[in-house]
Amino acid sequence: MPHSRLKNLNLTKGIIRMLIDLASPINLSYLWNLRSILRGLLLSQVITRIFLAMYYTPTSLQAFDSTVNIMKDVRYGWLIRYLHLNRASFFFMALYLHLRRALYYSSWRSSHVWSIRVTILILSMATAFLRYVLPYRQMSYWAATVIINLLSAIPVTGSTIVIYLWGRYSVSTPTLNRFLSLHYLLPFIIILLVIIHISLLHRYRSTNPLSIRSDANKIPFYWGYITKDLYRFLIVLTLLEFVLFFHPHLFSDPQNFIKANSLVTPTHIKPEWYFLFAYAILRSIPNKLGRVIALISSLAIFYCFSPQAFNPHFLAPSSILRKILFWTFIHIVLLLSILRALPIEEPFIFLNSFLTPAYYLFLTAILFSSI
């Protein structure tokens, strides 16, 4: 059917406007392809989650054995589980790079778009934490015990919240049932937020490397950027296949090959790599309530970038000072992640306690440098 006749169909107008006629800046770099990569990874994660849920048994006695059954007895179960496991790491790599790009090019000028982006990050981390606990492995069991038990520091209602999340007085079968329900529900909420995010992004328009706002320097999204998105996505799939078939346990901890044992505590409790910077901030605070506040504020502070009070004409990192602040902040996050992966001993404890206030200091400096 000719393109002109397709436009007359109501069902295709929105798709054509989004994928074909959308006016896009002519100078977008590969960093802007991360949005399409994230959408592809998110949808594929939801599909594999549905298949894995068919064979998973959410009980403390059978959860670990059901994952072993998926790997050994279910046809191509090992492939689906390894895909789901490693693709989560690739998803967070792309998500962190996407947020880094948005922070570098001051994409918070649209408060609604930025707020939804931060909310998607928080919900994605919550979903990943739930997935981490479900196999009922040694490291994931104790990570859930430590993290959820922190909520008991909340005045008045803290202990009630912990017992409600656990279902009992420790991580057990009711906990796995609750986590499975939330793990199945949250991705659909994330997809809804992604749809809202895309619609708002098309309304307020995207930034670009040179911060040019002129509508004269734009091209249709089709063919130029669709082919670029497909090309980048194929590269990511190639890297994912390499990890999947040659190093499937690259992002896994050896303790997670052991069934959960409530009587044996691991020497060092370490979460997945994409939680390390937040867990490092948490461990640097001696007070229990302070740890809860630090953990929440390490992500909630990004909401401070969204108000419309910022200079609407400021877009790109035009000053040397902002570049120094930004890249110093990125290195602080990397160092926090590396330090949390190391044993809890000196001098790592001192460096961790030094870098935690630096995390907030440099992020606040970036915030005020944009006013």
Side-chain angles (χ1 to χ4, degrees):
M1 186 177 294
H3 177 65
S4 58
R5 292 183 62 186
L6 280 174
K7 283 190 173 182
N8 296 325
L9 300 176
N10 292 329
L11 295 177
T12 59
K13 281 184 179 180
I15 299 175
I16 291 174
R17 190 161 48 245
M18 182 180 296
L19 298 179
I20 297 178
D21 294 337
L22 177 67
S24 304
I26 197 172
N27 60 337
L28 296 185
S29 67
Y30 73 93
L31 291 172
W32 272 259
N33 298 122
L34 291 170
R35 291 184 289 206
S36 298
I37 292 172
L38 283 168
R39 290 194 288 267
L41 292 174
L42 176 61
L43 291 175
S44 56
Q45 279 292 89
V46 172
I47 294 172
T48 53
R49 178 181 290 109
I50 293 173
F51 283 104
L52 291 173
M54 295 177 183
Y55 298 96
Y56 175 74
T57 307
T59 64
S60 57
L61 294 177
Q62 296 178 308
F64 183 83
D65 294 332
S66 66
T67 58
V68 175
N69 176 67
I70 292 172
M71 296 291 294
K72 292 184 176 182
D73 299 328
V74 177
R75 189 177 180 87
Y76 297 112
W78 64 272
L79 180 62
I80 296 175
R81 185 168 182 271
Y82 279 152
L83 267 174
H84 193 73
L85 180 66
N86 291 290
R87 197 163 45 203
S89 293
F90 276 77
F91 176 81
F92 275 97
M93 287 181 196
L95 184 59
Y96 287 155
L97 286 174
H98 178 60
L99 290 171
R100 193 223 69 164
R101 190 271 305 168
L103 193 63
Y104 186 79
Y105 291 105
S106 305
S107 296
W108 60 79
R109 63 186 175 88
S110 174
S111 61
H112 302 297
V113 175
W114 177 259
S115 297
I116 291 178
R117 182 183 283 120
V118 176
T119 304
I120 290 172
L121 169 65
I122 295 174
L123 290 180
S124 297
M125 296 183 74
T127 305
F129 176 73
L130 297 174
R131 178 202 63 79
Y132 185 63
V133 177
L134 287 177
Y136 208 66
R137 302 166 298 190
Q138 179 72 340
M139 189 63 74
S140 59
Y141 171 87
W142 285 102
T145 300
V146 171
I147 297 300
I148 297 177
N149 192 48
L150 285 174
L151 299 177
S152 63
I154 299 175
V156 183
T157 60
S159 299
T160 305
I161 294 173
V162 172
I163 295 176
Y164 181 78
L165 289 175
W166 278 347
R168 292 179 182 174
Y169 293 96
S170 63
V171 178
S172 55
T173 298
T175 313
L176 297 178
N177 279 280
R178 285 164 167 77
F179 280 22
L180 179 62
S181 300
L182 291 174
H183 182 64
Y184 202 86
L185 175 64
L186 286 180
F188 294 102
I189 299 177
I190 294 173
I191 290 175
L192 177 62
L193 290 175
V194 168
I195 294 173
I196 298 174
H197 179 70
I198 294 172
S199 62
L200 290 175
L201 189 64
H202 289 179
R203 178 181 177 183
Y204 294 108
R205 301 305 179 188
S206 175
T207 56
N208 57 82
L210 297 179
S211 304
I212 299 175
R213 289 191 174 182
S214 174
D215 291 333
N217 294 322
K218 291 186 177 181
I219 59 174
F221 189 77
Y222 179 86
W223 267 84
Y225 288 119
I226 282 186
T227 53
K228 286 185 177 181
D229 287 345
L230 290 175
Y231 175 68
R232 308 294 183 190
F233 192 71
L234 287 175
I235 293 176
V236 172
L237 285 181
T238 302
L239 294 174
L240 178 60
E241 289 176 0
F242 176 79
V243 173
L244 178 66
F245 293 111
F246 294 98
H247 302 283
H249 302 294
L250 180 64
F251 304 107
S252 300
D253 190 275
Q255 291 284 341
N256 281 327
F257 292 94
I258 305 172
K259 189 175 182 178
N261 186 348
S262 59
L263 301 178
V264 179
T265 307
T267 306
H268 302 291
I269 298 175
K270 184 176 68 174
E272 297 279 38
W273 67 267
Y274 36 81
F275 295 132
L276 287 176
F277 79 95
Y279 196 56
I281 293 174
L282 180 149
R283 288 302 299 265
S284 65
I285 308 296
N287 180 266
K288 195 173 184 179
L289 180 59
R291 289 180 174 181
V292 177
I293 296 173
L295 181 63
I296 296 174
S297 63
S298 65
L299 297 174
I301 190 174
F302 288 99
Y303 282 111
C304 298
F305 285 80
S306 61
Q308 297 283 6
F310 295 103
N311 184 356
H313 302 291
F314 186 91
L315 287 177
S318 55
S319 67
I320 299 297
L321 176 61
R322 280 204 71 244
K323 291 181 180 179
I324 294 174
L325 292 174
F326 174 81
W327 288 112
T328 304
F329 171 74
I330 295 298
H331 284 83
I332 288 173
V333 174
L334 293 175
L335 286 174
L336 282 171
S337 300
I338 294 172
L339 288 173
R340 187 57 201 92
L342 297 173
I344 305 176
E345 57 188 29
E346 295 293 349
F348 307 133
I349 298 176
F350 171 77
L351 291 174
N352 198 352
S353 61
F354 173 77
L355 290 173
T356 295
Y359 173 91
Y360 294 99
L361 177 63
F362 278 89
L363 194 57
T364 306
I366 295 172
L367 176 66
F368 282 100
S369 68
S370 306
I371 296 179

